[in-house]
């Protein structure tokens, strides 16, 4: 069975003080949240250490990074490596988010290198894929996301594939309030599931304007095992409500 995972991607939001305040409120709700759902938050790098301290002594909420470099160390000004993240107890790293593909030069090739590096250092990669509105309107969605998945997972040994998480995030649905209809998302994610052999047990997340009010509709679909949440993960009460509503139990 794929793991059910709800991960919050905070993007460039929250200082250390704001991170502490979020976690103080969120951790009060966590014991009441459904135990069948794994939870992760991806704060900015600057807040990872503070988040780690706030999360000490509990195992329900894992830490994620929003990106990482593929080399373990070197002359890469501004970058953060997998061993640095592993030292902080980071369990997941998002790679290939569309915002990084758009603004930071992320390519299918670097997504593949990062995916391999994350796995090599015991970090679960959350590989993000998704089409623009232009591609969708031209009927190219499935071909594009399947190509992105194949490129990201190129040369990954079959045994490692079940440790990979894939997030389908249609770019036009990110931060717009225009969520992709659950049936349509499920259909595209069915194509992702079969893009290469070995993904039957991989967790597939939907991302793009997922909110407390629409989470259940996604989770009921067979190919959707969780969510990668932007805006709704910034508020501890909204994020907890979303997780509550995502449980099928
Ligand atoms: P929103 O939930 O704000 O649409 O963001 C989705 C996303 O990009 C998560 O990585």
């Amino acid at each position: 069975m794929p793991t059910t995972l709800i991960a919050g991607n905070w993007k460039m939001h929250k200082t250390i003080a704001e991170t502490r305040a979020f976690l103080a409120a969120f951790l009060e709700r966590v014991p009441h949240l459904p135990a069948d759902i794994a939870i992760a938050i991806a704060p900015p790098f600057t807040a990872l250490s503070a988040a780690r301290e706030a999360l000490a002594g509990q195992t329900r909420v894992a830490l994620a990074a929003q990106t990482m470099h593929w080399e373990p160390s070197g002359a890469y000004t501004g970058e953060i490596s997998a061993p640095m993240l592993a030292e902080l107890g980071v369990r997941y790293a998002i790679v290939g988010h569309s915002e990084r593909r758009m603004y930071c030069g992320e390519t299918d090739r670097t997504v593949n290198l990062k995916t391999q590096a994350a796995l090599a250092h015991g970090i679960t990669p959350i590989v993000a894929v998704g089409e623009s509105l232009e591609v969708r309107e031209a009927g190219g969605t499935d071909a594009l996301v399947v190509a992105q998945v194949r490129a990201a997972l190129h040369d990954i040994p079959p045994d490692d594939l079940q440790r990979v998480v894939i997030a389908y995030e249609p770019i036009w649905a990110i931060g717009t309030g225009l969520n992709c209809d659950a049936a349509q998302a499920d259909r595209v994610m069915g194509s992702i599931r079969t893009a290469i052999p070995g993904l039957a047990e991989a967790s597939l997340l939907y991302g793009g304007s997922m909110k407390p009010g629409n989470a259940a509709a996604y989770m009921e679909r067979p190919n959707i095992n969780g969510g990668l949440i932007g805006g709704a993960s910034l508020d501890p009460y909204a994020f907890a409500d979303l997780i509550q509503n995502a449980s099928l139990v």
Side-chain angles (χ1 to χ4, degrees):
M1 281 278 287
T3 304
T4 305
L5 170 67
I6 301 285
N9 174 12
W10 288 0
K11 310 190 180 186
M12 198 170 71
H13 293 287
K14 294 199 192 292
T15 60
I16 289 174
E18 289 164 346
T19 298
R20 290 192 175 124
F22 174 99
L23 286 172
F26 185 63
L27 285 173
E28 285 199 13
R29 289 283 306 273
V30 165
H32 310 291
L33 294 178
D36 59 316
I37 298 183
I39 305 166
I41 52 161
F45 287 132
T46 46
L48 278 174
S49 226
R52 183 197 198 189
E53 279 168 28
L55 293 173
Q58 62 81 51
T59 53
R60 286 287 279 123
V61 184
L63 270 185
Q66 299 178 15
T67 184
M68 51 167 263
H69 200 269
W70 58 89
E71 292 291 347
S73 62
Y76 299 100
T77 301
E79 295 288 345
I80 304 285
S81 73
M84 294 170 184
L85 296 172
E87 185 188 35
L88 275 172
V90 168
R91 172 109 174 264
Y92 302 92
I94 302 168
V95 298
H97 193 283
S98 58
E99 286 149 16
R100 295 208 58 91
R101 292 183 194 253
M102 227 178 324
Y103 307 126
C104 307
E106 189 90 285
T107 64
D108 282 344
R109 171 80 182 131
T110 59
V111 175
N112 178 240
L113 291 170
K114 292 177 181 194
T115 301
Q116 298 195 45
L119 288 166
H121 290 91
I123 292 173
T124 299
I126 301 178
V127 177
V129 299
E131 83 288 1
S132 63
L133 191 56
E134 204 179 6
V135 169
R136 167 161 289 242
E137 286 176 346
T141 298
D142 290 58
L144 181 94
V145 300
V146 164
Q148 285 179 326
V149 168
R150 287 184 177 150
L153 303 183
H154 181 68
D155 269 351
I156 306 279
D159 281 355
D160 282 343
L161 287 176
Q162 61 205 3
R163 292 169 52 212
V164 172
V165 176
I166 299 173
Y168 170 55
E169 300 203 311
I171 296 170
W172 50 272
I174 295 177
T176 57
L178 296 173
N179 61 303
C180 176
D181 175 78
Q184 284 181 42
D186 185 61
R187 190 192 55 71
V188 177
M189 292 164 77
S191 300
I192 292 173
R193 178 88 62 204
T194 54
I196 56 167
L199 294 179
E201 298 299 314
S203 279
L204 305 188
L205 314 184
Y206 169 76
S209 300
M210 195 163 166
K211 307 282 178 204
N214 63 24
Y218 289 102
M219 300 304 291
E220 281 163 7
R221 298 284 166 172
N223 289 305
I224 304 182
N225 311 116
L228 185 56
I229 320 299
S233 73
L234 294 173
D235 177 86
Y237 306 105
F239 193 45
D241 285 348
L242 191 156
I243 295 164
Q244 186 71 52
N245 295 348
S247 176
L248 296 178
V249 177

